[in-house]
Amino acid sequence: MPEFRQNWLTNMVSPQIQLAQTKVRRYCEELFPGALQIERDQIRIAYESTLVTVEVRPVNLDAKVGTLKQQHLLPETYVSISAVLVANTPQTPALYQWIATKGQELDFGHTQMRIQSDGAASLTYTYALSADTLDPGELKWAVLAVAIAADKLDDDLKARFGGLRHIDQPTGASGL
């Protein structure tokens, strides 16, 4: 397959994703005026020492669960709401223990760890909800829940394990 055609097919976005992206973007513009940064298909909202990223994604399920999805009219899309808590954090047994225990006990969402190319860890707080049936109040509540929790967690994690919060980065800013 020619490279252009392959790239074009890979970058295609379904009508459900486009519809959900339009809705989420409109809601965010109404709910968080002046605090938005929009890059490609991601909406970023600054809050205190953290930066919340809002992104619409397709629900990808295997064929067995896909049949269940069709039978019960389950969502086609979801909204991922996340915030990097700390980056450039040294990997330690205590950090892994915190992620496996306390990082999974949060009221809304959970933490994830990614290993950076230099071997340091990056911790992210993530929450997801259906985009198909989303209303403005639900999105506002979810974004604020992630923002407030991440703002507290990033301070605690930096003090306990080291690393940099969003605001510690050269481009960090707040504004919600």
Side-chain angles (χ1 to χ4, degrees):
M1 180 179 292
E3 185 179 337
F4 171 76
R5 181 163 168 70
Q6 185 177 9
N7 288 340
W8 181 77
L9 288 173
T10 312
N11 293 327
M12 284 181 50
V13 178
S14 74
Q16 292 90 353
I17 292 282
Q18 289 176 342
L19 183 64
Q21 285 174 334
T22 300
K23 176 172 59 173
V24 167
R25 183 176 180 160
R26 186 180 76 242
Y27 289 171
C28 285
E29 287 171 344
E30 292 169 2
L31 295 168
F32 308 107
L36 294 181
Q37 303 168 12
I38 299 174
E39 295 180 20
R40 290 166 281 169
D41 296 326
Q42 294 182 339
I43 298 168
R44 297 185 178 174
I45 303 164
Y47 177 77
E48 299 297 334
S49 62
T50 194
L51 183 70
V52 177
T53 300
V54 180
E55 185 175 14
V56 175
R57 298 183 180 163
V59 173
N60 294 317
L61 304 171
D62 63 34
K64 188 176 182 179
V65 179
T67 303
L68 198 77
K69 181 174 117 178
Q70 290 174 341
Q71 290 173 341
H72 297 283
L73 303 174
L74 298 176
E76 296 287 327
T77 59
Y78 71 98
V79 178
S80 171
I81 303 168
S82 62
V84 174
L85 301 171
V86 286
N88 301 324
T89 304
Q91 294 183 57
T92 64
L95 177 64
Y96 278 95
Q97 182 178 8
W98 185 91
I99 292 166
T101 56
K102 300 294 182 193
Q104 305 309 308
E105 296 174 354
L106 304 168
D107 289 336
F108 309 103
H110 63 280
T111 56
Q112 298 174 321
M113 182 175 76
R114 292 189 174 89
I115 306 303
Q116 299 167 192
S117 60
D118 63 359
S122 174
L123 275 65
T124 305
Y125 179 57
T126 304
Y127 181 69
L129 61 157
S130 170
D132 295 3
T133 58
L134 186 67
D135 65 60
E138 183 179 23
L139 180 64
K140 182 178 185 178
W141 179 87
V143 168
L144 290 175
V146 169
I148 292 166
D151 182 48
K152 179 179 179 350
L153 284 167
D154 66 359
D155 296 335
D156 295 346
L157 291 168
K158 179 181 177 179
R160 188 167 180 182
F161 302 110
L164 300 172
R165 302 167 302 163
H166 168 70
I167 201 158
D168 299 330
Q169 306 287 335
T171 59
S174 65
L176 184 64

